[in-house]
Amino acid sequence: MQHSPETSPQPADRVQRLKGLRPRRPILVVAGLAVVAAATTAGVQASGAGAGAGAAHGHRVMGLAPSSGSASESADPDAARLLSERGEDVAARGNERDPLEVRQEAEAAEAKASADAQAAAEAEAEAEAEAAREQAAAKAEAAAKGWVLPTSGYSLTGRFGKAGARWASTHTGLDFATPSGTPIKAAAAGRITSAGGAGAFGNRIVITHTDGTQTWYCHQSRFAKTSGSVAAGDVIGYVGTTGNSTGPHLHFEVHPGGGSAVDPAGWLRAKGVSP
Ligand SMILES: [Zn+2]
């Protein structure tokens, strides 16, 4: 109670302490602001013209450090203007392309694709037609000829009409000597009208052709086909030496109209085939 606030040593002491602190505080504050300003300026400059961030920094810095604030403020409008112009550019271009030009381009691309597909289809059709024409030509040629050799890899060992100890009278066919198992082929289109053992002829197939001519295939080791129609060149059996035979060969006979045998070599040559 005796002590007045003025005379109290405690408040005076506090004032003195506050006085002592007073000069120091602003320095600290100023130093702190300078650091903030420097950091902010560096940030603005480092980020170039980051428009939004630059503007925010600029406003805050302006009140504290006018010099650096003006620098960042001057960068902002340029950046904003540039961005704005660019934005308008992009928007303008977007608007130009959007409705008509894009649709026309799409239509053009579609038309080109359609034309390409049509050209490809036409080329394919043309190739198919060409293949069909070639096939037809080959078929016509085969049909015109109509006859093929009845086997392959042979040597002729017995001519037609040749007399010899092996045959009862004269030889009634043409002998194609070739290894056992060599395929025997129908000499022309027709129908198998006989297939089986035939005495001295061994295993024999008779094919009757459309003009009535019959061809015989004798001494076969086995048959590949024993009935039905055949095309020229179809394999009907395999060379052997069954029946009256001294070695593997095809004894081939030709009977025009189903009658007497004729020389197969002359017959084949007349059909465009040279045995
Ligand atoms: Zn013979």
Side-chain angles (χ1 to χ4, degrees):
M1 297 291 169
Q2 288 173 320
H3 304 287
S4 68
E6 286 90 344
T7 56
S8 168
Q10 237 183 339
D13 200 27
R14 274 168 71 191
V15 167
Q16 194 59 38
R17 263 191 287 146
L18 283 169
K19 276 180 181 169
L21 286 171
R22 200 169 280 142
R24 270 182 297 185
R25 213 174 239 171
I27 289 166
L28 282 174
V29 169
V30 168
L33 291 176
V35 166
V36 168
T40 307
T41 306
V44 169
Q45 283 167 350
S47 69
H57 284 212
H59 288 306
R60 214 172 72 200
V61 168
M62 226 167 40
L64 304 169
S67 61
S68 63
S70 66
S72 45
E73 198 178 28
S74 72
D76 286 337
D78 283 347
R81 188 167 45 77
L82 276 172
L83 276 181
S84 160
E85 279 173 7
R86 265 182 233 147
E88 279 164 18
D89 264 14
V90 168
R93 263 184 273 131
N95 286 337
E96 268 172 38
R97 285 188 55 77
D98 192 31
L100 190 63
E101 193 185 326
V102 168
R103 198 182 337 129
Q104 283 172 342
E105 272 178 24
E107 279 169 4
E110 201 177 320
K112 190 181 181 304
S114 174
D116 287 352
Q118 198 179 341
E122 278 169 10
E124 197 178 331
E126 177 59 29
E128 274 172 20
E130 180 63 28
R133 277 196 297 273
E134 279 173 13
Q135 208 170 13
K139 211 169 179 179
E141 197 183 327
K145 215 186 231 179
W147 288 72
V148 298
L149 289 168
T151 191
S152 56
Y154 59 84
S155 57
L156 298 174
T157 55
R159 297 278 178 179
F160 177 82
K162 194 177 173 186
R166 277 194 283 160
W167 303 295
S169 53
T170 55
H171 191 224
T172 52
L174 182 63
D175 289 341
F176 295 82
T178 186
S180 284
T182 303
I184 296 168
K185 296 175 276 186
R191 176 170 291 274
I192 295 176
T193 49
S194 173
F201 295 107
N203 293 325
R204 182 189 64 175
I205 282 177
V206 175
I207 294 175
T208 302
H209 303 282
T210 47
D211 66 351
T213 302
Q214 292 187 331
T215 50
W216 296 9
Y217 309 81
C218 308
H219 310 308
Q220 295 188 39
S221 56
R222 62 188 176 96
F223 301 134
K225 191 175 168 76
T226 56
S227 63
S229 58
V230 291
D234 281 0
V235 173
I236 54 169
Y238 302 92
V239 169
T241 185
T242 54
N244 183 14
S245 169
T246 57
H249 74 284
L250 167 66
H251 174 92
F252 178 70
E253 294 197 7
V254 175
H255 297 255
S260 299
V262 298
D263 179 7
W267 175 273
L268 287 174
R269 273 196 292 273
K271 302 292 184 185
V273 183
S274 295

